[in-house]
Amino acid sequence: QTPVLTRSDNARNGRFSIRLDETGAADVQGQLQYTGELHEPYRDLVTAQKQADQEKTFIENADFPVAQLNQLKIESSESSPLASIQYTLKANSIATRSGKRMFVPVSRFKPFKRSLPSNDKRILDLQLRETYALTDTFNFQLPAGYSLENLPSGKRIESEFGLYELRAIQEDQAVRVIRHIEMLPVLVPAARYEEVRRFYLDVTKADGAQMVLVKP
């Protein structure tokens, strides 16, 4: 029996520097560190694929449209369950423009993806053993000529199934967004399935927050 991994063992810590331009595209620098079970796909990439194949896989699995990948470095530790990724790239369609406004999803580069389908006839218990903790910091540099019109307010959602926290801070022509997510193991009877589903829906909605920029 191998040790049971906790959410702190299965973790991701990410830092993203995002320089937006007036078209809604961005120059992005990303630094991520994965531990525990979350690091395993990246260890596989390092051991099984050449650099060109790693870059192809990265682009295909990115959560945003990659226009140009300038640099990608994936490493895994030889002695511990740890992997890291560093990249620089040009990304298109990060923000949406409408008239003099620009709408920027604050979690565009690592959106929350856990969900459950609707099921009002479930008869079996729900068991989800996966558990992890994610902490990401998104540093946005606003495009020239734009100012911040609206910033998402702080958000906290907490239940026995997990925790979601979002904070956004304005710093001159920059905005820092800090997001923390904890997903806990779930073992509930079928009658509580909708509670779990609703929690994931609420987190997904909160994670879709946008900041609004305006050009005078």
Side-chain angles (χ1 to χ4, degrees):
Q1 177 72 45
T2 57
V4 175
L5 298 179
T6 66
R7 65 181 180 278
S8 59
D9 295 319
N10 300 322
R12 182 187 76 221
N13 286 279
R15 296 190 67 86
F16 305 85
S17 177
I18 304 140
R19 183 178 293 275
L20 294 162
D21 68 22
E22 66 279 359
T23 71
D27 292 310
V28 185
Q29 292 182 340
Q31 297 180 331
L32 301 102
Q33 186 177 84
Y34 296 84
T35 60
E37 292 178 351
L38 297 186
H39 98 287
E40 292 175 0
Y42 304 98
R43 178 177 295 277
D44 292 342
L45 280 180
V46 171
T47 57
Q49 294 190 359
K50 296 180 180 179
Q51 179 68 25
D53 295 322
Q54 291 178 20
E55 293 174 1
K56 182 175 182 290
T57 299
F58 176 87
I59 291 172
E60 289 176 347
N61 290 278
D63 296 303
F64 50 90
V66 178
Q68 180 179 330
L69 180 60
N70 299 318
Q71 182 259 341
L72 174 67
K73 185 177 183 180
I74 305 175
E75 296 180 305
S76 61
S77 170
E78 295 183 0
S79 58
S80 59
L82 174 67
S84 63
I85 301 177
Q86 297 183 45
Y87 64 77
T88 60
L89 55 82
K90 181 77 171 183
N92 287 335
S93 304
I94 297 306
T96 302
R97 293 192 304 166
S98 178
K100 64 180 182 179
R101 288 178 172 79
M102 182 180 293
F103 300 86
V104 186
V106 297
S107 300
R108 182 73 170 88
F109 295 90
K110 278 294 177 184
F112 177 77
K113 286 188 172 181
R114 190 176 242 191
S115 63
L116 292 172
S118 178
N119 186 347
D120 58 1
K121 298 181 180 179
R122 187 180 181 92
I123 59 174
L124 298 177
D125 292 351
L126 177 64
Q127 296 187 43
L128 301 172
R129 301 187 183 280
E130 185 182 24
T131 181
Y132 52 80
L134 314 174
T135 302
D136 296 305
T137 301
F138 307 95
N139 293 303
F140 292 90
Q141 186 69 40
L142 306 189
Y146 280 85
S147 59
L148 185 65
E149 182 179 60
N150 185 62
L151 191 63
S153 57
K155 189 72 174 181
R156 180 182 175 91
I157 303 171
E158 187 171 10
S159 85
E160 63 187 278
F161 313 124
L163 171 68
Y164 178 89
E165 291 181 304
L166 181 75
R167 292 188 294 125
I169 306 160
Q170 183 179 6
E171 300 171 341
D172 295 326
Q173 275 296 103
V175 172
R176 177 177 298 176
V177 178
I178 303 168
R179 182 191 61 183
H180 180 70
I181 301 173
E182 296 180 11
M183 288 291 110
L184 302 178
V186 175
L187 175 55
V188 297
R192 299 190 64 196
Y193 177 90
E194 185 60 25
E195 290 181 47
V196 184
R197 178 175 175 271
R198 177 53 56 184
F199 171 70
Y200 296 155
L201 285 173
D202 289 344
V203 172
T204 299
K205 181 178 179 180
D207 206 50
Q210 299 185 104
M211 60 180 174
V212 183
L213 312 182
V214 63
K215 191 172 187 178

